[in-house]
């Protein structure tokens, strides 16, 4: 669950100082003096951080679309990690295997467009139902065209009036490119890349599903305990970007498969925050942030993803929140995901509330003093009381005040500027 956003400014700004009247009072460090210490004007970088609540976990849940039809016979447990070549679930005691890639499994894969046999009546890429055309004239239907050789009634036809031959026709319900040559496409290359990564070689990884690819598939199928057909159906493989962590299941063993029976998350830990939509200037890909963990440690992370839609802030009641009084629109949030290059830095924590700190403002190469060194001048504005001393010739004696312009307040210091201010100047800190 993502924690609600609670934004606070990390450095509360408050001017602490005495009222400087500009008189010629004696310089005293004793009990009667105005000052309890001195400091110097320094040059450096001043940064102001903003804090926002977030939640450490494994990121958003993603549903797993499964094309297999039948009875679920095995499911993984929430929290299990599934990697390339491993089983996501079993349907009719047949494994549905995880491969890595961005393309979904949208068609069956076979040599010369021959169709895998996944079930009757599927007029898609992997059915072997009535009326389908197939390789070698295996599954011609009424009205199907003949192949490149053989006439009507030849070959191994399964339906009345089908045309035989070495390749199926192109009648209604035929498989992909029946008899049109080798099956090609980026989905083939994606599949072959996974097959080779699992150690099944003997073919060239390209966009063509060749007989050598089919030979490797047969070896893979034997290792899975499946009949070595050399063809792959759309029910056999599910693609994900990489290893997945099972988040939950929506069905039970014994239920019908299909739809989205599983959800998964990344195996890497990350932080999700609901950032105020009105303050998204900091949220850019690659922005470095600091994450304070529940155990007191802090780690560095980077913004990796930024949502494209705003949502009402968690806890906002939709009733009565109209455009006239702000309501949900005013408090809308956008989801921001922070990832970590060093997962080990997170220790053993798997989840929990965290605080994300990011730099909201920064001033480089500026003069700064502690906020406590500022004094309010009688004529208005702020100033610094000079401390004087042997190392500060030309700055004037104690009791002299230099007016300054203030800039960024951050981390207990304040940016100061003005014609009478220089680096190294010694000033008093009033009590």
């Amino acid at each position: 669950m993502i924690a609600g956003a609670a934004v606070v400014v990390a450095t509360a700004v408050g001017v602490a100082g005495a009222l400087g009247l500009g008189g010629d009072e004696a310089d005293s460090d004793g009990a009667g003096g105005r000052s309890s210490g001195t400091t110097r004007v320094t040059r450096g970088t001043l940064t102001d951080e903003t804090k926002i609540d977030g939640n450490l976990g494994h990121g958003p849940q993603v549903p797993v679309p499964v094309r297999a039809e039948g009875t679920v016979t095995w499911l993984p447990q929430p929290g299990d990690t599934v990697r390339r070549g491993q089983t996501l679930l079993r349907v009719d005691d047949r494994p549905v295997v995880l491969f890595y890639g961005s393309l979904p499994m949208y068609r069956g894969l076979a040599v010369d467009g021959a169709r895998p046999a996944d079930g009757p009546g599927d007029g898609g890429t992997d059915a072997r139902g009535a009326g389908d055309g197939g390789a070698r004239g295996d599954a011609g239907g009424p009205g199907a065209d003949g192949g490149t050789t053989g006439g009507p009634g030849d070959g191994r036809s399964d339906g009345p009036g089908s045309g035989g031959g070495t390749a199926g026709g192109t009648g209604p319900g035929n498989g992909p490119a029946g008899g049109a040559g080798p099956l090609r496409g980026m989905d083939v290359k994606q599949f072959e890349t996974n097959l080779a990564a699992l150690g099944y070689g003997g073919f060239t990884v390209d966009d063509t599903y060749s007989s050598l690819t089919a030979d490797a598939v047969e070896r893979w199928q034997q290792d899975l305990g499946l009949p070595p057909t050399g063809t792959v159906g759309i029910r056999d493989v599910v693609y994900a970007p990489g290893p997945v962590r099972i988040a939950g299941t929506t069905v039970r063993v014994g239920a019908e498969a299909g739809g989205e029976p599983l959800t998964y998350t990344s195996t890497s830990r990350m932080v999700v925050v609901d950032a105020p939509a009105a303050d998204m200037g900091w949220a850019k890909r690659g922005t470095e942030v600091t994450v304070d963990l529940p155990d007191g440690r802090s780690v560095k992370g980077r913004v990796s993803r930024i949502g494209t839609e705003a949502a009402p802030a968690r806890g906002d009641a939709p009733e009565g929140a109209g455009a006239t009084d702000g309501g949900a629109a005013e408090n809308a949030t956008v989801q921001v995901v922070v990832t970590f290059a060093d997962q080990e830095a997170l220790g053993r924590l798997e989840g929990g509330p965290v605080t994300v700190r990011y730099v909201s403002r920064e001033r480089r190469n500026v003069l700064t003093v502690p906020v406590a060194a500022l004094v309010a001048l009688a004529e208005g504005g702020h100033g610094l009381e000079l401390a004087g001393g042997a190392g500060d010739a030309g700055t004037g004696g104690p009791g002299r005040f230099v007016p300054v312009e203030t800039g960024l307040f951050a981390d207990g210091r304040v940016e100061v500027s003005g014609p009478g201010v220089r680096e190294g100047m010694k000033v008093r800190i009033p009590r």
Side-chain angles (χ1 to χ4, degrees), residues 161-180:
S162 61
T166 58
T170 57
N174 282 353

Side-chain angles (χ1 to χ4, degrees), residues 47 79 118 180 188 214 237 328 343 366 396 400:
T47 58
D118 273 356
V188 175
V237 171
Q343 289 284 308
V366 294
R400 177 171 176 257

Side-chain angles (χ1 to χ4, degrees), residues 12-205:
V13 176
V15 177
L19 177 64
L21 302 177
D24 293 327
E25 296 180 282
D27 180 21
S28 171
D29 292 326
R34 297 188 312 277
S35 174
S36 61
T38 59
T39 187
R40 291 189 181 274
V41 178
T42 60
R43 184 177 297 277
T45 298
L46 206 57
T47 58
D48 186 18
E49 288 188 328
T50 297
K51 296 181 180 180
I52 185 170
D53 293 341
N55 192 70
L56 175 67
H58 290 267
Q61 295 187 18
V62 180
V64 179
V66 173
R67 300 289 296 274
E69 296 181 357
T71 302
V72 176
T73 52
W74 178 84
L75 288 168
Q77 295 297 313
D80 287 352
T81 297
V82 183
R83 295 181 170 83
R84 186 194 336 248
Q86 295 181 339
T87 300
L88 275 170
L89 75 161
R90 296 182 75 91
V91 178
D92 290 345
D93 206 29
R94 181 185 179 96
V96 178
V97 179
L98 176 69
F99 275 4
Y100 299 165
S102 57
L103 282 174
M105 190 71 177
Y106 65 91
R107 62 176 177 174
L109 305 178
V111 178
D112 294 333
R115 275 219 300 235
D118 273 356
D122 183 347
T125 62
D126 62 348
R128 193 173 58 185
D132 291 344
R136 298 178 297 176
D138 285 348
D145 296 334
T148 57
T149 63
D154 293 340
R156 297 163 52 190
S157 61
D158 290 336
S162 61
T166 58
T170 57
N174 282 353
L183 190 67
R184 301 178 185 275
M186 290 305 298
D187 59 328
V188 175
K189 186 174 183 179
Q190 179 176 269
F191 176 83
E192 290 185 341
T193 299
N194 281 272
L195 201 60
L198 292 173
Y200 297 95
F203 62 92
T204 301
V205 175

Side-chain angles (χ1 to χ4, degrees), residues 240-324:
V244 300
R245 179 180 181 273
I246 302 300
T249 60
T250 60
V251 298
R252 296 180 179 179
V253 171
E256 287 295 312
E260 298 171 346
L262 300 172
T263 58
Y264 71 83
T265 64
S266 170
T267 57
S268 298
R269 288 164 291 179
M270 60 191 70
V271 166
V272 178
V273 298
D274 288 338
D279 184 22
M280 293 293 294
W282 65 277
K284 297 179 175 61
R285 285 178 59 90
T287 298
E288 185 176 276
V289 299
T290 301
V291 178
D292 298 328
L293 301 174
D295 61 7
R297 295 180 300 113
S298 297
V299 295
K300 296 293 184 181
R302 290 189 181 276
V303 173
S304 65
R305 294 198 298 275
I306 302 141
T308 57
E309 295 183 0
R314 294 178 183 273
D316 279 358
E319 296 81 16
T324 57

